[in-house]
Amino acid sequence: MPLPRLRSLPVWQQDGLIALATWLIGFLVYATGVHRLVTAYDHAPLGVRLLELSALCGLELLRRRVPLALVLATVVLAVDVRLGPSLPVMIVYTDFLYAATLYGSRRTSRVMIGLAAVAVVGVLAAMLVIAKEWRTAVLAAVGVLPFVITPVWWAANVRQQRDIAETERANAGQLAKIAELDRRAAVAAERGRMARDLHDVIAGHLSAIAIQSEAALSLPDPKLAKAVLESVRENSVSALEEMRAMIGLLKADGGAAETTAPARLADLAKLVESARASGLEVHVESTVDSRVPLPAAVDLTAYRIAQEALTNAAKHAPGGRVDVAVHCLDGVLAVEVRNDVRTPLPAAGSGTGLLNMRERADAVGGDLTAGPADGGWLVRAELPTGGAL
């Protein structure tokens, strides 16, 4: 059965295992007498040394309690030094220096680094006073160095790496949140675009069909009624074609050829004929050369704005006059749809149609205004062509 990893154990079990392993190693050092070979001043009885070792290892259970554990361990070390420095006790004490630097607060960690430096200087000064010979003092300081500087430096390095890892994890979490927010925004934007396209594709044609059907029912002339019904059929077919194109675009994967809606400003004549079949008197003025291609986004946007404006005119001003003007000057395509008013108009900016037109204009960097003008209603869009014309 594999042994569990130390880090997967609870903290108190980790510290307990560390304390037990430390005591066993210290006991072996004392039992073999190795400590007397390293430290010439160690002449205390073995029982006293084992008592010090047991007290210090017992305090290992509190090693993460800073500074309590370090203070109590320092008391034991002071007793040990008073009896004669003992190698196992000094080695165990380094773990308390390590734990205080690693698990203490940031301020405690900085203090420990400073105390370690001061301790080395203090030991060097004390040895100079005691030994009265600088070589002996330097050798003594070098002997103390691994027991003071090494654990503090090691813990400070581990703490720095841990803080860097925590910062990176926090940054990764923030990036994940930002990516999720971006994804949601992209989904919301795509849903808005799809809703706008569905409105433009379906609402315009169905509105024209409804108006033309109503007109056909009231026409006494069979020939005229037939012409209106033909326009109804044309609108129905166009709506189905555009719906199929949109469904194909939604179903297409990344490697398939994109399917785009066929609507373009060059097809404005079809919109005009449909509007006339609905009973509107439509006049068109265009200075745009159909042979010079417009940017695809601007071309589609201009067509959709004209389509929605004509649909709104058929709804709110049936049988009235509509003037459509399309001009391009200084890199700006201007689309104007003006109609007289036969019924009360909605407030400016209300309704899905006007909102969709504004969103379409904004999407290509243009601007759209809609509101009362000269006793009628004016929709004007200015769309930048990027110097296409």
Side-chain angles (χ1 to χ4, degrees):
M1 179 177 179
L3 295 175
R5 296 182 60 182
L6 185 60
R7 289 186 178 182
S8 63
L9 297 175
V11 172
W12 68 271
Q13 291 186 9
Q14 295 180 26
D15 293 340
L17 289 175
I18 292 174
L20 179 60
T22 303
W23 190 90
L24 290 175
I25 294 173
F27 175 79
L28 291 176
V29 171
Y30 282 131
T32 56
V34 176
H35 62 294
R36 299 187 187 278
L37 299 177
V38 178
T39 307
Y41 300 99
D42 189 355
H43 302 296
L46 179 61
V48 174
R49 292 306 187 192
L50 290 178
L51 181 62
E52 291 177 348
L53 179 64
S54 298
L56 206 58
C57 290
L59 291 175
E60 287 272 44
L61 298 175
L62 305 176
R63 60 196 290 270
R64 300 173 194 264
R65 298 281 298 275
V66 180
L68 176 62
L70 180 62
V71 172
L72 296 178
T74 303
V75 173
V76 177
L77 178 67
V79 174
D80 180 78
V81 173
R82 180 70 180 81
L83 296 176
S86 174
L87 180 62
V89 172
M90 295 178 64
I91 293 176
V92 176
Y93 183 76
T94 61
D95 183 61
F96 289 90
L97 297 177
Y98 175 87
T101 306
L102 180 60
Y103 301 118
S105 63
R106 293 182 183 273
R107 181 179 179 181
T108 302
S109 180
R110 291 193 294 266
V111 169
M112 289 299 300
I113 295 174
L115 288 177
V118 171
V120 173
V121 175
V123 170
L124 179 60
M127 290 301 174
L128 284 174
V129 174
I130 295 173
K132 297 182 180 180
E133 209 278 324
W134 69 271
R135 291 184 180 85
T136 304
V138 169
L139 290 176
V142 170
V144 175
L145 179 65
F147 298 98
V148 179
I149 296 296
T150 301
V152 174
W153 168 80
W154 191 356
N157 187 57
V158 171
R159 183 180 187 127
Q160 181 183 22
Q161 297 301 321
R162 185 186 65 183
D163 292 343
I164 292 174
E166 290 178 354
T167 301
E168 291 299 326
R169 281 194 293 270
N171 291 338
Q174 292 296 326
L175 290 176
K177 290 181 180 178
I178 293 174
E180 177 63 17
L181 291 175
D182 288 343
R183 186 192 68 81
R184 292 181 181 179
V187 170
E190 183 64 15
R191 286 177 176 174
R193 186 188 68 82
M194 291 171 61
R196 187 169 59 245
D197 287 343
L198 284 171
H199 175 273
D200 291 343
V201 170
I202 300 301
H205 288 297
L206 292 184
S207 296
I209 290 170
I211 295 171
Q212 292 168 358
S213 300
E214 183 180 359
L217 292 174
S218 61
L219 289 175
D221 188 352
K223 292 183 179 180
L224 188 55
K226 181 181 179 181
V228 173
L229 291 176
E230 289 176 352
S231 180
V232 169
R233 183 183 181 281
E234 183 178 350
N235 276 306
S236 302
V237 172
S238 298
L240 288 174
E241 288 178 352
E242 295 197 31
M243 179 58 70
R244 290 193 189 99
M246 183 172 294
I247 292 174
L249 178 61
L250 294 175
K251 287 183 176 180
D253 56 19
E258 291 189 359
T259 305
T260 57
R264 289 177 177 81
L265 197 58
D267 300 324
L268 182 60
K270 295 182 180 179
L271 292 179
V272 172
E273 291 301 323
S274 177
R276 287 171 178 167
S278 300
L280 292 175
E281 181 185 348
V282 184
H283 298 268
V284 180
E285 179 184 352
S286 177
T287 60
V288 177
D289 190 351
S290 59
R291 294 171 297 179
V292 179
L294 286 166
V298 175
D299 199 356
L300 178 59
T301 298
Y303 177 88
R304 292 301 187 197
I305 289 175
Q307 181 186 34
E308 182 64 29
L310 287 172
T311 300
N312 288 342
K315 287 181 181 179
H316 301 293
R321 175 187 173 93
V322 181
D323 295 314
V324 180
V326 182
H327 303 287
C328 190
L329 183 63
D330 297 330
V332 176
L333 178 66
V335 179
E336 287 188 2
V337 180
R338 184 193 305 268
N339 63 275
D340 56 7
V341 180
R342 299 294 181 87
T343 58
L345 286 170
S350 65
T352 305
L354 292 178
L355 178 61
N356 287 346
M357 286 191 287
R358 285 197 175 92
E359 289 179 349
R360 284 192 176 277
D362 290 340
V364 296
D367 182 61
L368 184 137
T369 58
D374 298 331
W377 187 267
L378 173 64
V379 174
R380 176 179 174 83
E382 294 183 354
L383 313 174
T385 62
L389 293 176

